[in-house]
Amino acid sequence: MISNTMQQALNRQLNNELYSAYLYLSMSSYAGSLGLKGFANWFMVQYQEETVHAMKFYNYINSRGEHVELAPIAGPPTEFSTALDMFEQTLKHEQFITSSINDLIDLALREKDHASHIFLQWFVTEQVEEEENDRDIIGKLKLIGDNGQGLLMLDAELGARVFTPPPAGGTP
Ligand code: FEO
């Protein structure tokens, strides 16, 4: 049993995670259209990770005896100026996600909802990692500047990223 307020807040975050998936799918396609297959791969893996995040909320809401209320997913941007632009938008979006997770935790604490508080801890750690990854890549892109060879080397590095699916049968 969770409060109606918490259920709605968790539902909103499920939608935020699905929007994140949409955003990175759009970026993956755009990077691919520029011939940056490694960047496209990185964003495709990010898309897959976001669907896992969304399913964590989906499963958690159900595990508390409630049901999800799926809402329309906003359309993400479809044009980006540069690879750096994509990663700066990614970091900005992840900072928004971090603040929304923090708001959820504030709510869980106000409501003394200890189960939700524990559930949300995984996302706190994940957001630190996501923002760090984005900042690292932004730093490299700034160093690369207009150097095409450097961009291709980073493209090769990002092409090596692999999606690790959550364990079968377990909560993702
Ligand atoms: Fe699900 Fe990238 O936060």
PDB file of all heavy atoms in Angstrom, residues 128-148:
ATOM      1  N   VAL A 128      24.576   9.360 -10.056  1.00  0.00           N
ATOM      2  CA  VAL A 128      25.966   9.832  -9.905  1.00  0.00           C
ATOM      3  C   VAL A 128      26.797   9.302 -11.069  1.00  0.00           C
ATOM      4  O   VAL A 128      27.558  10.032 -11.711  1.00  0.00           O
ATOM      5  CB  VAL A 128      26.556   9.366  -8.550  1.00  0.00           C
ATOM      6  CG1 VAL A 128      28.052   9.668  -8.487  1.00  0.00           C
ATOM      7  CG2 VAL A 128      25.821  10.036  -7.393  1.00  0.00           C
ATOM      8  N   GLU A 129      26.616   8.012 -11.363  1.00  0.00           N
ATOM      9  CA  GLU A 129      27.375   7.365 -12.447  1.00  0.00           C
ATOM     10  C   GLU A 129      27.021   7.972 -13.808  1.00  0.00           C
ATOM     11  O   GLU A 129      27.903   8.267 -14.619  1.00  0.00           O
ATOM     12  CB  GLU A 129      27.053   5.867 -12.433  1.00  0.00           C
ATOM     13  CG  GLU A 129      27.945   5.037 -13.335  1.00  0.00           C
ATOM     14  CD  GLU A 129      27.476   3.586 -13.340  1.00  0.00           C
ATOM     15  OE1 GLU A 129      27.378   2.984 -12.249  1.00  0.00           O
ATOM     16  OE2 GLU A 129      27.207   3.061 -14.420  1.00  0.00           O
ATOM     17  N   GLU A 130      25.746   8.194 -14.034  1.00  0.00           N
ATOM     18  CA  GLU A 130      25.326   8.722 -15.341  1.00  0.00           C
ATOM     19  C   GLU A 130      25.877  10.134 -15.566  1.00  0.00           C
ATOM     20  O   GLU A 130      26.389  10.441 -16.638  1.00  0.00           O
ATOM     21  CB  GLU A 130      23.791   8.730 -15.442  1.00  0.00           C
ATOM     22  CG  GLU A 130      23.231   7.329 -15.541  1.00  0.00           C
ATOM     23  CD  GLU A 130      21.993   7.248 -16.408  1.00  0.00           C
ATOM     24  OE1 GLU A 130      21.584   8.275 -16.976  1.00  0.00           O
ATOM     25  OE2 GLU A 130      21.437   6.150 -16.514  1.00  0.00           O
ATOM     26  N   GLU A 131      25.756  10.982 -14.558  1.00  0.00           N
ATOM     27  CA  GLU A 131      26.266  12.354 -14.731  1.00  0.00           C
ATOM     28  C   GLU A 131      27.781  12.345 -14.914  1.00  0.00           C
ATOM     29  O   GLU A 131      28.318  13.119 -15.710  1.00  0.00           O
ATOM     30  CB  GLU A 131      25.868  13.218 -13.529  1.00  0.00           C
ATOM     31  CG  GLU A 131      24.392  13.563 -13.513  1.00  0.00           C
ATOM     32  CD  GLU A 131      24.060  14.620 -12.467  1.00  0.00           C
ATOM     33  OE1 GLU A 131      24.944  15.430 -12.126  1.00  0.00           O
ATOM     34  OE2 GLU A 131      22.918  14.618 -11.975  1.00  0.00           O
ATOM     35  N   GLU A 132      28.471  11.466 -14.192  1.00  0.00           N
ATOM     36  CA  GLU A 132      29.936  11.393 -14.330  1.00  0.00           C
ATOM     37  C   GLU A 132      30.315  10.964 -15.752  1.00  0.00           C
ATOM     38  O   GLU A 132      31.211  11.554 -16.369  1.00  0.00           O
ATOM     39  CB  GLU A 132      30.512  10.405 -13.309  1.00  0.00           C
ATOM     40  CG  GLU A 132      32.035  10.334 -13.366  1.00  0.00           C
ATOM     41  CD  GLU A 132      32.627   9.311 -12.412  1.00  0.00           C
ATOM     42  OE1 GLU A 132      31.866   8.465 -11.894  1.00  0.00           O
ATOM     43  OE2 GLU A 132      33.846   9.360 -12.204  1.00  0.00           O
ATOM     44  N   ASN A 133      29.636   9.940 -16.274  1.00  0.00           N
ATOM     45  CA  ASN A 133      29.920   9.479 -17.642  1.00  0.00           C
ATOM     46  C   ASN A 133      29.729  10.614 -18.650  1.00  0.00           C
ATOM     47  O   ASN A 133      30.552  10.807 -19.547  1.00  0.00           O
ATOM     48  CB  ASN A 133      28.986   8.323 -18.030  1.00  0.00           C
ATOM     49  CG  ASN A 133      29.318   7.045 -17.285  1.00  0.00           C
ATOM     50  OD1 ASN A 133      30.407   6.914 -16.745  1.00  0.00           O
ATOM     51  ND2 ASN A 133      28.372   6.116 -17.245  1.00  0.00           N
ATOM     52  N   ASP A 134      28.629  11.351 -18.487  1.00  0.00           N
ATOM     53  CA  ASP A 134      28.344  12.445 -19.431  1.00  0.00           C
ATOM     54  C   ASP A 134      29.419  13.528 -19.346  1.00  0.00           C
ATOM     55  O   ASP A 134      29.884  14.032 -20.367  1.00  0.00           O
ATOM     56  CB  ASP A 134      26.960  13.061 -19.146  1.00  0.00           C
ATOM     57  CG  ASP A 134      25.835  12.041 -19.326  1.00  0.00           C
ATOM     58  OD1 ASP A 134      26.051  11.029 -20.009  1.00  0.00           O
ATOM     59  OD2 ASP A 134      24.755  12.269 -18.753  1.00  0.00           O
ATOM     60  N   ARG A 135      29.803  13.867 -18.115  1.00  0.00           N
ATOM     61  CA  ARG A 135      30.837  14.911 -17.951  1.00  0.00           C
ATOM     62  C   ARG A 135      32.162  14.468 -18.557  1.00  0.00           C
ATOM     63  O   ARG A 135      32.867  15.263 -19.182  1.00  0.00           O
ATOM     64  CB  ARG A 135      31.017  15.270 -16.469  1.00  0.00           C
ATOM     65  CG  ARG A 135      30.031  16.314 -15.976  1.00  0.00           C
ATOM     66  CD  ARG A 135      30.480  16.916 -14.645  1.00  0.00           C
ATOM     67  NE  ARG A 135      30.696  15.872 -13.650  1.00  0.00           N
ATOM     68  CZ  ARG A 135      29.736  15.399 -12.857  1.00  0.00           C
ATOM     69  NH1 ARG A 135      28.523  15.878 -12.921  1.00  0.00           N
ATOM     70  NH2 ARG A 135      30.005  14.447 -11.994  1.00  0.00           N
ATOM     71  N   ASP A 136      32.495  13.175 -18.393  1.00  0.00           N
ATOM     72  CA  ASP A 136      33.757  12.658 -18.971  1.00  0.00           C
ATOM     73  C   ASP A 136      33.753  12.827 -20.483  1.00  0.00           C
ATOM     74  O   ASP A 136      34.746  13.243 -21.078  1.00  0.00           O
ATOM     75  CB  ASP A 136      33.922  11.163 -18.634  1.00  0.00           C
ATOM     76  CG  ASP A 136      34.359  10.952 -17.196  1.00  0.00           C
ATOM     77  OD1 ASP A 136      34.671  11.957 -16.515  1.00  0.00           O
ATOM     78  OD2 ASP A 136      34.378   9.786 -16.753  1.00  0.00           O
ATOM     79  N   ILE A 137      32.642  12.459 -21.100  1.00  0.00           N
ATOM     80  CA  ILE A 137      32.579  12.518 -22.571  1.00  0.00           C
ATOM     81  C   ILE A 137      32.565  13.981 -23.037  1.00  0.00           C
ATOM     82  O   ILE A 137      33.218  14.326 -24.024  1.00  0.00           O
ATOM     83  CB  ILE A 137      31.365  11.723 -23.092  1.00  0.00           C
ATOM     84  CG1 ILE A 137      31.549  10.233 -22.761  1.00  0.00           C
ATOM     85  CG2 ILE A 137      31.204  11.904 -24.605  1.00  0.00           C
ATOM     86  CD1 ILE A 137      30.336   9.363 -22.978  1.00  0.00           C
ATOM     87  N   ILE A 138      31.863  14.848 -22.311  1.00  0.00           N
ATOM     88  CA  ILE A 138      31.865  16.280 -22.663  1.00  0.00           C
ATOM     89  C   ILE A 138      33.295  16.825 -22.585  1.00  0.00           C
ATOM     90  O   ILE A 138      33.748  17.559 -23.472  1.00  0.00           O
ATOM     91  CB  ILE A 138      30.913  17.067 -21.726  1.00  0.00           C
ATOM     92  CG1 ILE A 138      29.462  16.759 -22.094  1.00  0.00           C
ATOM     93  CG2 ILE A 138      31.180  18.574 -21.799  1.00  0.00           C
ATOM     94  CD1 ILE A 138      28.430  17.279 -21.106  1.00  0.00           C
ATOM     95  N   GLY A 139      34.029  16.434 -21.556  1.00  0.00           N
ATOM     96  CA  GLY A 139      35.422  16.879 -21.411  1.00  0.00           C
ATOM     97  C   GLY A 139      36.259  16.441 -22.603  1.00  0.00           C
ATOM     98  O   GLY A 139      37.049  17.229 -23.150  1.00  0.00           O
ATOM     99  N   LYS A 140      36.089  15.192 -23.026  1.00  0.00           N
ATOM    100  CA  LYS A 140      36.851  14.692 -24.180  1.00  0.00           C
ATOM    101  C   LYS A 140      36.462  15.451 -25.443  1.00  0.00           C
ATOM    102  O   LYS A 140      37.328  15.820 -26.246  1.00  0.00           O
ATOM    103  CB  LYS A 140      36.597  13.192 -24.361  1.00  0.00           C
ATOM    104  CG  LYS A 140      37.298  12.345 -23.306  1.00  0.00           C
ATOM    105  CD  LYS A 140      37.001  10.868 -23.504  1.00  0.00           C
ATOM    106  CE  LYS A 140      37.659  10.043 -22.402  1.00  0.00           C
ATOM    107  NZ  LYS A 140      37.325   8.636 -22.447  1.00  0.00           N
ATOM    108  N   LEU A 141      35.174  15.681 -25.621  1.00  0.00           N
ATOM    109  CA  LEU A 141      34.719  16.381 -26.833  1.00  0.00           C
ATOM    110  C   LEU A 141      35.255  17.814 -26.873  1.00  0.00           C
ATOM    111  O   LEU A 141      35.580  18.329 -27.946  1.00  0.00           O
ATOM    112  CB  LEU A 141      33.185  16.375 -26.900  1.00  0.00           C
ATOM    113  CG  LEU A 141      32.583  15.045 -27.348  1.00  0.00           C
ATOM    114  CD1 LEU A 141      31.084  15.004 -27.071  1.00  0.00           C
ATOM    115  CD2 LEU A 141      32.851  14.802 -28.841  1.00  0.00           C
ATOM    116  N   LYS A 142      35.372  18.441 -25.718  1.00  0.00           N
ATOM    117  CA  LYS A 142      35.914  19.809 -25.688  1.00  0.00           C
ATOM    118  C   LYS A 142      37.398  19.797 -26.037  1.00  0.00           C
ATOM    119  O   LYS A 142      37.887  20.696 -26.728  1.00  0.00           O
ATOM    120  CB  LYS A 142      35.667  20.447 -24.320  1.00  0.00           C
ATOM    121  CG  LYS A 142      34.206  20.870 -24.169  1.00  0.00           C
ATOM    122  CD  LYS A 142      33.951  21.596 -22.864  1.00  0.00           C
ATOM    123  CE  LYS A 142      32.538  22.146 -22.838  1.00  0.00           C
ATOM    124  NZ  LYS A 142      32.132  22.634 -21.517  1.00  0.00           N
ATOM    125  N   LEU A 143      38.111  18.765 -25.567  1.00  0.00           N
ATOM    126  CA  LEU A 143      39.530  18.653 -25.910  1.00  0.00           C
ATOM    127  C   LEU A 143      39.706  18.389 -27.405  1.00  0.00           C
ATOM    128  O   LEU A 143      40.618  18.900 -28.043  1.00  0.00           O
ATOM    129  CB  LEU A 143      40.172  17.490 -25.125  1.00  0.00           C
ATOM    130  CG  LEU A 143      40.511  17.770 -23.668  1.00  0.00           C
ATOM    131  CD1 LEU A 143      40.973  16.492 -22.983  1.00  0.00           C
ATOM    132  CD2 LEU A 143      41.609  18.833 -23.574  1.00  0.00           C
ATOM    133  N   ILE A 144      38.818  17.566 -27.949  1.00  0.00           N
ATOM    134  CA  ILE A 144      38.892  17.203 -29.377  1.00  0.00           C
ATOM    135  C   ILE A 144      38.640  18.421 -30.269  1.00  0.00           C
ATOM    136  O   ILE A 144      39.321  18.615 -31.274  1.00  0.00           O
ATOM    137  CB  ILE A 144      37.875  16.074 -29.686  1.00  0.00           C
ATOM    138  CG1 ILE A 144      38.376  14.753 -29.090  1.00  0.00           C
ATOM    139  CG2 ILE A 144      37.641  15.938 -31.187  1.00  0.00           C
ATOM    140  CD1 ILE A 144      37.325  13.651 -29.063  1.00  0.00           C
ATOM    141  N   GLY A 145      37.670  19.254 -29.865  1.00  0.00           N
ATOM    142  CA  GLY A 145      37.356  20.446 -30.664  1.00  0.00           C
ATOM    143  C   GLY A 145      37.014  20.085 -32.098  1.00  0.00           C
ATOM    144  O   GLY A 145      36.120  19.265 -32.329  1.00  0.00           O
ATOM    145  N   ASP A 146      37.734  20.669 -33.041  1.00  0.00           N
ATOM    146  CA  ASP A 146      37.465  20.426 -34.473  1.00  0.00           C
ATOM    147  C   ASP A 146      38.338  19.326 -35.051  1.00  0.00           C
ATOM    148  O   ASP A 146      38.393  19.161 -36.274  1.00  0.00           O
ATOM    149  CB  ASP A 146      37.719  21.715 -35.286  1.00  0.00           C
ATOM    150  CG  ASP A 146      36.674  22.769 -34.980  1.00  0.00           C
ATOM    151  OD1 ASP A 146      35.543  22.389 -34.606  1.00  0.00           O
ATOM    152  OD2 ASP A 146      36.997  23.973 -35.096  1.00  0.00           O
ATOM    153  N   ASN A 147      39.008  18.584 -34.215  1.00  0.00           N
ATOM    154  CA  ASN A 147      39.926  17.544 -34.698  1.00  0.00           C
ATOM    155  C   ASN A 147      39.149  16.288 -35.107  1.00  0.00           C
ATOM    156  O   ASN A 147      38.676  15.528 -34.262  1.00  0.00           O
ATOM    157  CB  ASN A 147      40.937  17.225 -33.577  1.00  0.00           C
ATOM    158  CG  ASN A 147      41.975  16.194 -34.011  1.00  0.00           C
ATOM    159  OD1 ASN A 147      41.662  15.288 -34.779  1.00  0.00           O
ATOM    160  ND2 ASN A 147      43.186  16.358 -33.530  1.00  0.00           N
ATOM    161  N   GLY A 148      39.011  16.080 -36.414  1.00  0.00           N
ATOM    162  CA  GLY A 148      38.223  14.950 -36.921  1.00  0.00           C
ATOM    163  C   GLY A 148      38.781  13.609 -36.491  1.00  0.00           C
ATOM    164  O   GLY A 148      38.025  12.679 -36.171  1.00  0.00           O
TER     165      GLY A 148
END
